[in-house]
Every structure is written in C-alpha cells, then in structure tokens.
Amino acid sequence: MLQENNYVLPIGLLINSEDKVEIVIATLEISDQIQELVNHVQTGVTEKVNTGCFKASCMAYPDYENSAVVALLENAENYCATVIIPVVTEPQTKLVASDSEVLDGKCYIFPIKQDS
C-alpha cells in the first residue's frame, strides 16, 4: 500500500484459530482523519475477536508527522507491543523494518486476562 500509493490506510490483521489471517481495513482515503479511521478499524477488529476464536491481532496506521508506521501487536494472552517502523521516501517510499523500535504496548482488542 505504501509503495504503490504513497500512503497507508489504517489496517487490522487477525490470526484465527486455524492460523489464517483475517483483515479489517479502513476504506476512507482521507489522511487528516487518521484517528477516526484507527477507531473504525479497532472497533471492527474488536467485534471479530468477540465473535470468534482468535490468537493475535495487529493494528497498523501511519504516523505522517514522524515518517513512520505504527503497529500495535497483541495476542490472546495479553502480550502487547508497539512497533514503530520508520518510512523513507527517497529514492522510493518504503518501510525500513531493520530500524524498527519495539516498545511496551497496551491491551486494545482482547479482554484482559486476570491471574487467578
């Protein structure tokens, strides 16, 4: 998406119990409404988790201000990470995965599991 269109729409990915990927993507192409689009994707991903058996999720969205893509990773065991992936635009627009930064994340999608 980034390489072909020079922008990234917020997208949600889920791994189901059969190890297949399911996708939730924002369909609006308005880059100044990123938060609204991320909220739309988060709602769609959360609804899917509530109706099925999923192992993990990822929500990714552009951070144009910092020339990066942010990926929020989470699994059913509440392991969460925020990954910041830099974007370069010269000589062509692409992700620089080798320079990614992994930070602590938060639970957004899966219900929080309580220790018994």
Side-chain angles (χ1 to χ4, degrees):
M1 188 184 320
L2 180 63
Q3 199 166 25
E4 289 181 16
N5 302 315
N6 213 25
Y7 64 85
V8 174
L9 289 173
I11 187 170
L13 304 171
L14 288 157
I15 298 176
N16 66 24
S17 59
E18 298 168 356
D19 291 329
K20 295 189 177 170
V21 176
E22 296 189 28
I23 299 170
V24 176
I25 189 165
T27 56
L28 301 173
E29 296 182 18
I30 304 167
S31 63
D32 62 344
Q33 294 181 345
I34 295 299
Q35 187 59 52
E36 182 180 323
L37 298 177
V38 170
N39 291 344
H40 172 76
V41 169
Q42 181 179 351
T43 298
V45 171
T46 302
E47 286 173 358
K48 279 186 164 284
V49 165
N50 287 335
T51 61
C53 188
F54 292 91
K55 295 179 179 181
S57 70
C58 171
M59 289 194 320
Y61 61 89
D63 179 352
Y64 292 112
E65 191 173 296
N66 294 304
S67 297
V69 170
V70 178
L72 307 174
L73 308 176
E74 183 178 345
N75 71 15
E77 301 300 318
N78 297 133
Y79 167 80
C80 303
T82 299
V83 181
I84 311 296
I85 310 164
V87 174
V88 295
T89 56
E90 296 296 329
Q92 68 183 28
T93 304
K94 66 178 184 176
L95 294 171
V96 185
S98 60
D99 291 343
S100 297
E101 181 180 6
V102 180
L103 308 169
D104 289 337
K106 296 180 182 174
C107 293
Y108 292 100
I109 305 301
F110 290 91
I112 296 175
K113 295 197 174 203
Q114 302 292 331
D115 292 332
S116 16

